[in-house]
């Protein structure tokens, strides 16, 4: 999709989009992370809310292991707009991806029984009561919680959720906006239907990183996250400065920064999050350590035997998890042109199957096996899935 | 202000098959599909009232819906939901099946708070009288 200049500034365009959302949607909330994008968006949206004397919801999902500076900034913003927001500071046990440990591939923030090891205590205003949201269940996936919150918040009314993503950030985010398959409201490409009465709105999708800081520079009375000052002092470029939860598959590359910026928090994280230190040391390495870029075959192995050896090194529960995924992968190709099994060697992209690709997924600690074209499963259905897969693997005689 | 309206597309699988066969037959012999499927139409729809019509009573502009299969059964006969967007300042007619044999048919508008409010036929007739044709028609979306 080509870029089409609108003949107005990105600031003016964002303002118009926000006005449209206020004119159109009876229920509005904003998804806030404390980062530079959602902070600028919060200030723009709140300006409109104050102008119209309308209260909007502000959702922040507190993931426990976050920079103190970010938490302080969020508190400042909540206090600043207290009169015009319905605050939802959520500090509930939620499952998060931990890309730096084979032993704890999912990490649960605010987990029961670990209260003494929690990196920090949730703030007083946080929602910690598990019965507060009727849709919530213990160790719910983050990806399930966010849309469920939107449906709950709307209470059946047409609802907009402001999301501060920008197409410049990544190809995935560009696709979120530019996708021709998604459904929108009134044909506005900067919105996405999330099912039922819920729509996401991306008012700053076309902003560049520089635009955000220019806006902050011109509005010195509006607070920004001081973590960015520290990142600047640490020598990061504007585009490297990102603050999402740092143990994810993509985010782990930034773990090295944590102990430089906030050593006091880092000490607690190492004690709490399995593999955090290992990730900080090795997440930027390429090769077999974490399967980044090329992977190489150890002497005396085929890719298949290497894969089986890697599976044998995993904790039994996670070995079974990978076996289920690999069995489905093998069966899929068995029925589609590879009756005798997939080749041992092959390209690392998704153009053809191979055991080499399986090895890469294992080395990368690719828990959801996205590299093998799987997607994340629903937490509630997982137990049923493992039982079903146990039976199927016997039937298929694969990965027994 | 806008509002969303949800109705269940009961028997959607059958109507989708009918639509498919109508297209196939029409492409083989123009008019054949229309003839064979005459009188078979989905009972779920939402339309904007845009005036009067000598044959149908009101002239209607049928709205497109967003279809949600998340709660559908394996056949697609139940649990398929249609989500419509309605807007304040207009009058709509809704045909929404509540069971296989019962259809809830009503007129409605959207309040300034984004709530859907049912209205009666007299309100609709008066509303048409009070508005010119250009006011009744929804302007095309501006992107």
């Amino acid at each position: 999709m080509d870029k089409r200049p609108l003949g107005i500034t990105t600031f003016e365009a964002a303002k118009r989009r926000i006005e449209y959302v206020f004119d159109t949607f009876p229920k509005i909330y904003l998804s806030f992370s404390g980062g530079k994008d959602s902070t600028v968006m919060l200030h723009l949206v709140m300006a409109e809310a104050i102008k119209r004397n309308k209260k909007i919801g502000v959702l922040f999902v507190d993931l426990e292991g976050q920079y103190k500076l970010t938490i302080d900034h969020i508190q400042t913003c909540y206090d600043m707009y207290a009169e015009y927001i319905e605050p939802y500071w959520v500090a509930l046990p939620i499952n998060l991806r931990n890309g730096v440990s084979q032993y704890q591939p999912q990490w649960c923030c605010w987990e029961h029984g670990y209260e003494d090891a929690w990196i920090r205590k949730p703030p007083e205003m946080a929602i910690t009561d598990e019965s507060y949201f009727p849709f919530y269940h213990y160790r719910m996936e983050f990806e399930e919680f966010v849309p469920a919150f939107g449906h709950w918040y709307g209470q059946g009314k047409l609802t907009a959720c402001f999301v501060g993503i920008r197409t410049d950030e990544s190809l995935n985010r560009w696709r979120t906006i530019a996708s021709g398959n998604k459904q929108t409201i009134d044909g506005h490409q900067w919105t996405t239907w999330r099912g039922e009465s819920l729509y996401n709105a991306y008012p700053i999708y076309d902003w560049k990183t520089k635009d955000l800081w220019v806006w902050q520079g011109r509005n010195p009375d509006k607070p920004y996250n001081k973590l960015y000052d520290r990142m600047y002092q640490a020598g990061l470029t504007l585009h490297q400065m990102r603050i999402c939860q740092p143990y994810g598959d993509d985010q782990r590359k930034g773990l090295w920064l944590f102990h430089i910026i906030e050593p006091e928090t880092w000490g607690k994280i190492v004690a709490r999050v399995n593999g955090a230190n290992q990730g900080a040391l090795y997440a930027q390495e390429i090769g077999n350590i974490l399967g980044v870029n090329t992977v190489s075959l150890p002497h005396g192995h085929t890719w298949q035997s290497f894969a089986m050896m890697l599976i044998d090194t995993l904790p039994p529960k996670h070995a079974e998890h990978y076996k289920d995924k690999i069995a489905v992968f093998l069966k899929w190709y068995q029925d589609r042109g590879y009756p005798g099994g997939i080749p041992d060697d092959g390209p690392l992209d998704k153009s053809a199957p191979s055991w080499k690709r399986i090895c890469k997924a294992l080395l990368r600690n690719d828990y959801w096996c996205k590299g093998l074209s799987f997607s994340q499963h629903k937490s509630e259905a997982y137990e049923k899935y493992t039982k079903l897969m146990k039976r199927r693997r016997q039937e298929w005689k694969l990965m027994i | 202000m806008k509002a969303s309206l949800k109705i269940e597309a009961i028997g959607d699988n059958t109507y989708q098959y009918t639509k498919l066969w109508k297209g196939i037959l029409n492409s083989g012999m123009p008019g054949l599909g229309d003839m064979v499927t005459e009188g078979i139409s989905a009972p779920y729809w939402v339309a904007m009232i845009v005036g009067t019509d000598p044959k149908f009573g009101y002239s209607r502009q049928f709205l497109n819906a967003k279809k949600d299969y998340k709660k559908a059964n394996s056949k697609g006969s139940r649990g398929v939901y249609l989500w419509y967007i309605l807007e304040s300042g207009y009058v709509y007619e809704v045909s929404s099946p509540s069971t296989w044999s019962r259809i809830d048919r009503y007129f409605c508008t959207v309040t300034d708070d984004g709530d859907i409010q049912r209205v009666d036929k007299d309100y609709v007739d008066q509303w048409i009288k009070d508005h010119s044709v250009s006011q009744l028609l929804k302007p095309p979306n501006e992107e």
Side-chain angles (χ1 to χ4, degrees):
Chain A
M1 188 177 281
D2 291 334
K3 278 189 178 177
R4 184 166 50 88
L6 300 173
I8 50 174
T9 62
T10 49
F11 170 64
E12 185 57 36
K15 259 179 66 180
R16 288 186 193 177
R17 289 176 199 130
I18 290 166
E19 281 166 9
Y20 168 84
V21 170
F22 274 83
D23 287 340
T24 307
F25 291 86
K27 292 284 272 184
I28 298 168
Y29 76 98
L30 183 143
S31 189
F32 190 44
S33 71
K36 58 187 183 304
D37 305 318
S38 66
T39 297
V40 169
M41 186 180 69
L42 174 79
H43 293 316
L44 295 176
V45 170
M46 289 319 298
E48 191 64 27
I50 292 166
K51 198 169 94 186
R52 296 182 187 229
N53 196 23
K54 184 178 167 109
K55 268 195 174 188
I56 67 157
V58 177
L59 169 70
F60 169 58
V61 183
D62 191 333
L63 306 176
E64 188 194 327
Q66 292 187 283
Y67 288 103
K68 186 180 173 299
L69 286 168
T70 300
I71 298 300
D72 293 346
H73 169 65
I74 290 165
Q75 189 67 64
T76 307
C77 291
Y78 269 55
D79 293 345
M80 181 177 174
Y81 295 118
E83 240 182 285
Y84 294 94
I85 64 170
E86 293 162 354
Y88 292 96
W89 187 312
V90 179
L92 292 170
I94 285 176
N95 261 357
L96 304 164
R97 173 77 181 113
N98 179 9
V100 288
S101 172
Q102 297 277 12
Y103 285 83
Q104 194 189 43
Q106 283 180 304
W107 180 73
C108 178
C109 56
W110 313 113
E111 192 176 4
H112 295 167
Y114 290 85
E115 285 79 357
D116 292 342
W118 283 356
I119 293 158
R120 31 177 269 278
K121 297 275 172 270
E124 260 179 37
M125 70 180 303
I127 297 165
T128 52
D129 176 6
E130 288 176 28
S131 60
Y132 189 94
F133 299 111
F135 60 84
Y136 173 81
H137 64 85
Y138 185 61
R139 293 196 76 146
M140 195 174 187
E141 297 289 332
F142 178 81
E143 288 78 3
E144 292 167 358
F145 181 87
V146 173
F149 172 86
H151 296 308
W152 170 84
Y153 180 76
Q155 299 289 314
K157 278 194 167 190
L158 193 63
T159 307
C161 169
F162 281 113
V163 182
I165 60 167
R166 297 178 297 109
T167 50
D168 262 14
E169 287 179 279
S170 69
L171 190 59
N172 265 340
R173 296 199 167 183
W174 179 84
R175 279 171 49 205
T176 302
I177 308 295
S179 168
N181 297 325
K182 70 174 185 176
Q183 306 214 50
T184 62
I185 190 156
D186 282 350
H188 290 298
Q189 196 62 34
W190 49 272
T191 61
T192 303
W193 183 49
R194 298 299 313 272
E196 303 184 14
S197 306
L198 180 64
Y199 286 80
N200 277 356
Y202 313 102
I204 58 163
Y205 80 91
D206 51 354
W207 286 44
K208 294 194 179 302
T209 314
K210 223 166 110 179
D211 294 335
L212 298 165
W213 292 116
V214 167
W215 187 90
Q216 285 285 180
R218 287 179 182 169
N219 295 275
D221 56 319
K222 306 287 186 220
Y224 66 94
N225 190 341
K226 296 292 182 285
L227 180 64
Y228 290 99
D229 292 342
R230 297 269 185 101
M231 287 181 170
Y232 178 74
Q233 286 163 344
L236 266 68
T237 65
L238 280 184
H239 301 279
Q240 288 171 331
M241 296 177 185
R242 300 187 67 182
I243 62 157
C244 36
Q245 79 96 10
Y247 330 106
D249 292 306
D250 299 323
Q251 298 89 340
R252 63 189 180 190
K253 276 182 283 183
L255 265 180
W256 64 275
L257 193 66
F258 218 122
H259 69 272
I260 296 172
I261 290 181
E262 256 180 36
E264 65 281 10
T265 311
W266 177 246
K268 290 175 187 166
I269 283 176
V270 171
R272 173 90 169 92
V273 183
N274 208 321
N277 200 40
Q278 185 267 149
L281 290 170
Y282 300 115
Q284 289 202 314
E285 297 285 330
I286 56 166
N288 280 11
I289 292 179
L290 280 170
V292 180
N293 295 346
T294 53
V295 291
S296 55
L297 188 63
H299 184 67
H301 272 289
T302 62
W303 287 106
Q304 184 172 354
S305 69
F306 185 33
M308 298 315 286
M309 188 205 81
L310 289 170
I311 290 171
D312 286 343
T313 64
L314 294 172
K317 189 182 164 197
H318 302 131
E320 288 300 306
H321 167 86
Y322 278 107
K323 279 180 181 176
D324 288 344
K325 299 284 179 189
I326 295 166
V328 173
F329 183 73
L330 296 175
K331 176 68 177 160
W332 169 271
Y333 282 105
Q334 203 177 57
D335 297 344
R336 289 166 179 81
Y338 296 89
I342 61 170
D344 199 55
D345 203 350
L348 282 172
D349 59 31
K350 292 181 181 176
S351 59
S354 67
W355 280 97
K356 189 179 180 180
R357 268 179 68 191
I358 293 173
C359 285
K360 187 174 165 84
L362 290 164
L363 286 166
R364 278 184 72 90
N365 192 10
D366 181 1
Y367 187 70
W368 304 120
C369 293
K370 288 181 178 171
L372 304 180
S373 303
F374 287 88
S375 58
Q376 187 172 341
H377 55 245
K378 284 186 177 164
S379 57
E380 278 177 322
Y382 187 65
E383 210 169 307
K384 273 188 194 166
Y385 171 79
T386 50
K387 277 183 192 160
L388 178 74
M389 280 310 301
K390 209 170 185 180
R391 209 179 63 227
R392 281 189 178 165
R393 270 162 50 195
Q394 295 291 339
E395 281 170 21
W396 298 342
K397 296 184 174 52
L398 289 168
M399 302 301 293
I400 301 168
Chain B
M1 201 56 77
K2 295 190 182 189
S4 65
L5 176 74
K6 168 192 173 185
I7 63 177
E8 187 182 356
I10 297 176
D12 186 56
N13 56 336
T14 311
Y15 295 110
Q16 292 305 320
Y17 271 123
T18 308
K19 206 173 157 185
L20 179 73
W21 278 106
K22 186 178 172 180
I24 292 169
L25 293 173
N26 273 341
S27 65
M29 189 188 285
L32 179 64
D34 296 331
M35 197 178 78
V36 172
T37 61
E38 199 183 346
I40 306 172
S41 61
Y44 40 83
W45 47 265
V46 176
M48 181 191 284
I49 302 294
V50 294
T52 51
D53 183 277
K55 188 177 173 189
F56 299 105
Y58 296 113
S59 39
R60 300 173 176 87
Q61 221 173 54
F62 290 89
L63 306 188
N64 290 323
K66 292 180 171 73
K67 225 173 203 180
D68 193 346
Y69 292 97
K70 253 186 268 170
K71 291 173 183 161
N73 63 9
S74 57
K75 283 185 190 171
S77 59
R78 291 301 301 258
V80 177
Y81 289 96
L82 302 176
W83 290 86
Y84 292 91
I85 299 286
L86 315 185
E87 199 171 342
S88 52
Y90 299 95
V91 172
Y92 298 89
E93 187 174 0
V94 178
S95 172
S96 166
S98 50
T99 65
W100 283 98
S101 55
R102 201 169 290 168
I103 294 169
D104 188 15
R105 202 160 159 175
Y106 58 91
F107 298 102
C108 66
T109 58
V110 177
T111 66
D112 290 341
D113 293 330
D115 292 317
I116 291 170
Q117 194 174 47
R118 289 192 184 211
V119 292
D120 58 19
K121 197 172 175 306
D122 293 342
Y123 178 95
V124 180
D125 293 337
Q126 190 59 46
W127 190 82
I128 292 170
K129 271 186 205 160
D130 294 346
H131 292 76
S132 64
V133 176
S134 60
Q135 283 174 310
L136 293 171
L137 287 168
K138 192 171 177 249
N141 293 331
E142 285 172 31
E143 178 57 346

